[in-house]
Amino acid sequence: MSSTEFFTMVREHLNPGGVMVVNMNMISDGQGSINEALSDTIASVFGNGNTLTADVPNTTNRELFAKKPGSGSEENSMQQASKALNLRETTYERTGSEDLEWYMEEVASRFRKVNEPDSASTILTDDKAPVEVLGMHAIDQIIADEAGPYRQILKDEGFGGLLRAVQ
């Protein structure tokens, strides 16, 4: 469920202007990361300018939003639809919730455009989708980042210092 073939089926099931949201579960950046591969794959299916990401505060989650192109008019672009005012108005029209309406402005402030994939991009297909390997690299990096301070305590103070630090 991370290939161009899968995301093409999802896009085909959306109404014009419909949006798919993917919780990528971990913030993993840089060349060769799982998020880069997923973002490039989805952008290759949904087209240039129709894909945004937003990191979720105080978590390791990143959400990706991909919009099926509408009637072709400029007003249907993802960049236009993702502006805070448009999100607030649409949210209130559809839900009647003022709380959710104003929350959408905060979400809009976190949107980042996904660049169009190029010839160096990793595009995941049914024949080439090393998702587990890419995911393991991301998890390894998160563990390394989180364990860094504890490694130094272990080095400086030994096991006793490490036990005091985790209590």
Side-chain angles (χ1 to χ4, degrees):
M1 294 184 0
S2 58
S3 66
T4 56
E5 292 85 353
F6 173 76
F7 291 118
T8 298
M9 288 188 336
V10 171
R11 186 193 67 217
E12 289 170 357
H13 282 84
L14 291 172
N15 290 326
V19 176
M20 170 190 75
V21 181
V22 176
N23 182 9
M24 295 200 287
N25 267 347
M26 60 188 83
I27 295 173
S28 165
D29 290 318
Q31 189 171 12
S33 71
I34 188 167
N35 283 351
E36 179 187 56
L38 281 170
S39 297
D40 287 345
T41 300
I42 294 168
S44 75
V45 170
F46 281 82
N48 188 29
N50 291 312
T51 311
L52 301 170
T53 62
D55 290 347
V56 180
N58 304 313
T59 73
T60 60
N61 289 23
R62 175 171 291 158
E63 294 172 340
L64 183 142
F65 302 80
K67 181 177 182 185
K68 181 176 181 175
S71 63
S73 66
E74 190 61 35
E75 62 193 301
N76 286 326
S77 76
M78 183 64 132
Q79 293 290 64
Q80 181 68 23
S82 65
K83 293 187 184 305
L85 180 61
N86 292 344
L87 282 175
R88 286 198 324 258
E89 289 174 352
T90 301
T91 300
Y92 188 75
E93 283 175 19
R94 294 182 181 173
T95 68
S97 170
E98 290 180 6
D99 290 339
L100 188 56
E101 171 190 18
W102 287 100
Y103 180 71
M104 294 312 293
E105 182 169 6
E106 193 277 326
V107 171
S109 72
R110 294 185 275 117
F111 280 140
R112 302 292 174 258
K113 183 178 184 269
V114 173
N115 293 324
E116 185 173 4
D118 58 27
S119 62
S121 299
T122 299
I123 305 296
L124 304 173
T125 67
D126 284 349
D127 294 330
K128 180 188 173 199
V131 175
E132 289 80 11
V133 173
L134 293 170
M136 286 173 31
H137 289 309
I139 291 168
D140 288 347
Q141 185 60 51
I142 290 169
I143 290 170
D145 292 345
E146 296 297 319
Y150 296 107
R151 284 192 188 122
Q152 191 61 45
I153 293 169
L154 180 63
K155 181 180 176 184
D156 295 343
E157 303 174 36
F159 285 111
L162 186 59
L163 288 174
R164 283 190 295 279
V166 296
Q167 288 179 348

